[in-house]
Amino acid sequence: MEANIIDRLEERLLERRRAITNVLAHLKRENDEVIEDRQIDWLDRASDENAVRTVDRLTELYRGELDGIEDAL
């Protein structure tokens, strides 16, 4: 019985790891697009910088969760 519970938990962790990996790939593409399309106008540039900071924070959070999953597995 306990082995069955462990197997289910492991599968849930693996599914979450796959989801996070996909999100991290998406965030990287978003960050790359913002960096490539940086605007000259100061207001647009400020918006771009804010977007990059937001993506960086999200990436950091997801990587922390991914580290925890790897430790659990």
Side-chain angles (χ1 to χ4, degrees), residues 27 30-35 38 43-59:
L27 289 172
E30 288 291 321
N31 197 40
D32 291 346
E33 286 178 20
V34 169
I35 290 171
R38 288 218 170 166
L43 188 56
D44 290 335
R45 189 171 50 237
S47 176
D48 289 349
E49 289 171 3
N50 187 45
V52 168
R53 280 193 303 273
T54 300
V55 169
D56 286 346
R57 277 187 246 128
L58 286 170
T59 299

Side-chain angles (χ1 to χ4, degrees), residues 9-39:
L9 291 173
E10 181 180 20
E11 183 56 37
R12 287 180 66 192
L13 287 171
L14 291 171
E15 287 175 17
R16 184 64 182 155
R17 181 172 68 179
R18 283 189 292 271
I20 291 171
T21 301
N22 289 336
V23 169
L24 287 172
H26 175 76
L27 289 172
K28 178 164 180 10
R29 286 190 304 272
E30 288 291 321
N31 197 40
D32 291 346
E33 286 178 20
V34 169
I35 290 171
E36 286 176 14
D37 296 336
R38 288 218 170 166
Q39 303 295 318

